[in-house]
Structure formats: C-alpha cells, structure tokens
Amino acid sequence: MQINRNSVLYNASVMTFAGFLLQIIGFIYRIYLSRMAGPEGLGIYRLILPVHSVSISLAISGVRMAATSLSAEMNLKRDKMAVRMLTRICILIFLGIFVCMALPVITFREGIGLHVLGDARTGPALPIMMACILLTGFELILESIFLGLKKTKFTAVSNVLEQLTQMGAVIWLLSALRTEDCGLTATLICVAMVISEVPVVTWLGISYKRVVLAAAQENPNPTPEKCSLLARVRNIAIPVTFSGVATTLLSSAGTVLLPQRLMVAGLSDKEAIGQLGIISGMALPLLTFPSLFLNALSTVLVPTISHSISCGNRQDTKRKIRKAIQAVSLIGLPAMGVLLPLAPDLSVLLYDQTLSKKYLALLAVSVIFLYYQNITISILNGLELQKQAMINVITGEGVELCLIYLLAALPQLHIYGYIAGTISCGVLITFFNLRLIRKRTGVKIGIKKTVAMPLLAAGILGLFSNMIYRSLASRADQILAIVSTILLCILIYFILLLIMGIRPIRYFKGVLVQTPSKPQIES
C-alpha cells in the first residue's frame, strides 16, 4: 500500500506543479491577449469558444474518460496489446464523431456565426476551430492513456508546451499582422491555437511510440476481445458525453446570449461584444489569480481523497474534506481582500481598461462562490459522486441562464444582471454540493473556522491593502507600490494566521498526507 500511496502523491505532485506553472503562463498570456486584441476582439473570440467547448464535449469527453479509466486498470508490462487496442478504439470513435460534427459546422459556418453565435464575424474562424479540435482529440486521447498508465510527466510537459506555443504564436501573429478588423483578430487567435497543437501532438505521438509501442512485454495477459473492450468504452463514454454536452451547452449558452441581451438593454453591437470581452478576458482573469493555488489544491484533492477511501480511513477522508473547504476560505477570501483595493488600478495597468469598484466587488463575490463550487466538485469526484455533481451543475447553470436572459436585458442592470446570474449559479451549486457531501460523509462545516475567521482576516487585509497602497502610490512607482503592498499584506496575513492558531505549512500538508487508519467507533 505504501507504493500505491507514493505513486498517488508523486503523480499528484507532478500535475500540481504543471497546473501551477500553467496558471502563471496563462495569466501572462491573457494580459498580452487583452492588450493586443482589445475588448471587441476578445469578445468575438469568446463567442467562438463555445463552439470549441461543445465540440470537445461531444467528440472527446466521453472517449477521454473511457481511455483514462480503462488504461488505469492495465499494466503496460503485461497489457501492452490491450493498451494499443484501447488507443485505436478511442481514436476511431473520436474520428467518427468528429467527421459527423465537423462537416455541418464547416458547410453552414456563415449561418452558425450569424444566427447561432450572433455575429457574422465569427464564421470564418469556425473551420479553423475544427482543425484545432481534430488535433486536440489526438492530444487528449494520448494524454488520457498516459494518465491512466500513471505516466503523468508526459501530460504535464504537453500542457506546458501547448500554453507556451500558443502564447508565442498569438503574440507573433497579432504583432506581424496588425489589423483593426476584430473578426480577423479572433481568427488569428484560432490559428494560433492550431499552431500550438502541432508540437504537442508530435511530442505525445513520439512519447507514445517510445513508451507504449516499444515497451517490452513480460508475462503477457490475454488480450481482450475487441467487441468486449469496445462495449466497455461505449458504456463509459455515452453517459459522460451526454452529461458533458448538457453542462457545456448550458454554460456556453450564457456566453452567446449575453451580447444579445445587452443589445436589448440598449447597448450597441460593439459595446455588447466589448462587455463580453472585458468581463471574460480582463476582469475575471484578474480576480481569479488566487486560483493558481486553489487549482493546485483541487488537482491533488481527488487522488488523496480516493486514496483515503480505498484505505477505508473514513476519519481521514472527513478531515481532508473539512480542511479543503476551509483552505478555499483561507486563500480565496483574504486574497480578495488584498486585490479589491488594487484591482481598479491593476486593470488600467495590465489591460488599459477602467473598471469600477462596484463592478469588481460584485464580480469578486461570484468568483468566491466559483472557488467553493470547484473545490466541492473535486471532493464529489473523489467520492465517486460525479453523476450527482453533474445534476447540481446543470441545475445551477440552468438558473443562471434564465437570470441572464431576464436581468441582462434590463436597461438599469445590463452587465450587472449577468453578474447576478453568475452569483446565483455559484451559490446554488455550492449549496447543493455541500448538502450532498454532508449527506454522504457526515462532514459538518464549522461556520466560525470556515467563514467567520477568514472573512474577518479578509476585512483586515482589505483595510491594510488600501492604506498601504494609497501611502506608497504617492511616493513610489505604481508597479513598485502594488508589488510592495501585496508582499506586505502576505506578511501581515501570515501573522494573522499564527494569531488564529494556524500553521500554514502544517495545515496544507494535512490536506495531502495520509494519516494512519485507526479503528474507531464513530458517534
């Protein structure tokens, strides 16, 4: 069991480090992208992305889950032929779905752009997006095989390589082909996505040939029949595909619907598209920067909770769940307290865009609940309650879509109607997830430790952040003032944590490390 434990933690650590690095690269990339593309160019690009998301869910989400789950049951030294057969089946299924999906999208791209996405300028990018999805399908299948075989370093390298290549390609294309045409700008971003997939698929293909195809087979197990393996892939892929498409359609519908409802509220076409670009490409990336740490926590959480369950250690499972939810509060709430006083000036510095304090404060509330939503979904995945989590997400996304349709069209609300919808969605999903977690595990979340103390710390840090920044901004360079404020607030927060009796390193280590299982009689 010790070997399994070390393997779980090693693979989780590799993915965590890669995820952390990806978040930093992605944040820098979004800054460059927003400044070079502008709000309207970003808005058109965001309108195209739902086609990418829905297509990925339809063509690859189920096959990807099947590839990961089934390859996890295989040992490369004994099941080499089974791994190869599984890979071929998954690729053939993906290609069949892709052809059926891509042909109508390419044929009716102008109608889809005008009548479905709501902007004719999105049409020329759709065939390019299909090329991107073709390459992405091969990438995700090979990554899933490697994940199942516990070869996480290949997946980690491919993710970092993709992000770096995409950032370089976007900067090169937008700099070399400077244009005022926002539709062309969005198309060039899609071209960069295709370019970024080429080295990734090449890397994974070479790695697959070297690791899987060239692997020596010792004491081979019988190769499963193709029909039986195909049936297992189908049984996993169909429900996952259905749930993925349903969830993605609902979330994507909000993106497509927002500009149309804003125009009903009185905004022009350019203003409505610009608002979408600002909120999704500028404001949200700024406020979600703390997710650098929370995404890493979510990555580690699923395997560690699964490991505790497999060991029959119920107490350790409950402890990890409590600490994980508290960790979101201890990171997310204080981070918002520090960021909010700086956010208006940061938005001008990073994006050359003025954002009001009211706008950012309301958006920060939706981001906080997004953090809780993501961590509770990770917990439910670790508890193998994916279907119930999907139902909660679909319910919340449905309510959000209705509120966007009703509230964003009101002239007195417009973009604030959209924010109200996202807050409501986060609150509902978090509430339903927490209720399900408590029902299945008996975990009780203490309001004092989970909400009250971090919220008090956030208020204190907000006051210090505002005071320190206003004092330094009048005497020093703006960037130096912002960096100094953040560093001083981090120091103050560590002192607050010690006052609250929390040792940060020991606390977060407790989320990751397995405690010995002790036979206990629980009340």
Side-chain angles (χ1 to χ4, degrees), residues 108-128:
F108 302 107
R109 59 186 179 275
E110 294 181 0
I112 293 173
L114 180 60
H115 301 295
V116 178
L117 301 181
D119 196 307
R121 290 173 291 180
T122 59
L126 295 182
I128 299 171

Side-chain angles (χ1 to χ4, degrees), residues 264-458:
V264 174
L267 276 67
S268 67
D269 178 39
K270 183 176 181 178
E271 289 172 334
I273 296 293
Q275 283 294 326
L276 174 62
I278 289 170
I279 198 167
S280 60
M282 299 180 185
L284 281 176
L286 177 62
L287 293 176
T288 55
F289 186 74
S291 65
L292 285 171
F293 311 98
L294 297 175
N295 286 346
L297 177 63
S298 296
T299 302
V300 175
L301 197 59
V302 175
T304 53
I305 288 179
S306 298
H307 182 70
S308 295
I309 293 172
S310 67
C311 294
N313 196 340
R314 187 178 177 188
Q315 283 294 94
D316 189 60
T317 302
K318 293 169 70 172
R319 179 182 62 83
K320 280 183 168 63
I321 291 172
R322 279 195 299 268
K323 282 184 172 291
I325 295 173
Q326 290 170 5
V328 174
S329 300
L330 289 171
I331 294 175
L333 290 173
M336 286 302 161
V338 175
L339 274 177
L340 279 177
L342 308 176
D345 288 349
L346 269 174
S347 63
V348 175
L349 182 65
L350 297 177
Y351 307 120
D352 195 25
Q353 185 70 41
T354 303
L355 302 175
S356 70
K357 290 183 179 180
K358 177 184 175 182
Y359 177 90
L360 291 166
L362 290 173
L363 204 56
V365 176
S366 72
V367 169
I368 288 293
F369 280 103
L370 177 64
Y371 292 157
Y372 286 120
Q373 172 187 325
N374 290 341
I375 203 72
T376 52
I377 288 174
S378 293
I379 292 170
L380 291 174
N381 287 337
L383 296 172
E384 298 184 356
L385 296 171
Q386 292 92 339
K387 291 183 180 179
Q388 293 88 335
M390 178 204 71
I391 293 172
N392 293 344
V393 171
I394 290 176
T395 303
E397 295 281 2
V399 170
E400 179 184 17
L401 192 61
C402 292
L403 290 176
I404 291 173
Y405 184 85
L406 295 172
L407 300 181
L410 299 177
Q412 61 269 37
L413 289 179
H414 49 88
I415 194 64
Y416 292 101
Y418 172 82
I419 298 175
T422 60
I423 293 174
S424 302
C425 175
V427 170
L428 281 175
I429 295 176
T430 301
F431 172 76
F432 289 140
N433 287 350
L434 287 174
R435 187 176 66 173
L436 180 59
I437 290 168
R438 180 172 180 177
K439 181 180 178 181
R440 293 302 179 94
T441 65
V443 171
K444 295 181 180 179
I445 306 300
I447 298 299
K448 179 182 177 182
K449 290 184 178 180
T450 305
V451 179
M453 291 173 62
L455 197 59
L456 176 62

Side-chain angles (χ1 to χ4, degrees), residues 36 38 46 89 99 131 162 182 186 191 220 223 285 295 323 327 445 450 519:
M36 298 177 78
R46 295 291 168 180
I89 288 173
V99 170
E162 179 183 4
C182 296
V191 171
T223 304
N295 286 346
K323 282 184 172 291
I445 306 300
T450 305

Side-chain angles (χ1 to χ4, degrees), residues 422-496:
T422 60
I423 293 174
S424 302
C425 175
V427 170
L428 281 175
I429 295 176
T430 301
F431 172 76
F432 289 140
N433 287 350
L434 287 174
R435 187 176 66 173
L436 180 59
I437 290 168
R438 180 172 180 177
K439 181 180 178 181
R440 293 302 179 94
T441 65
V443 171
K444 295 181 180 179
I445 306 300
I447 298 299
K448 179 182 177 182
K449 290 184 178 180
T450 305
V451 179
M453 291 173 62
L455 197 59
L456 176 62
I460 294 172
L461 288 172
L463 292 174
F464 272 106
S465 177
N466 185 66
M467 181 178 65
I468 293 171
Y469 178 63
R470 297 305 163 198
S471 175
L472 293 177
S474 59
R475 298 180 175 86
D477 177 74
Q478 188 180 40
I479 297 178
L480 179 62
I482 290 173
V483 172
S484 301
T485 300
I486 293 173
L487 292 176
L488 286 171
C489 285
I490 290 173
L491 177 61
I492 293 168
Y493 184 46
F494 268 96
I495 295 172
L496 288 175

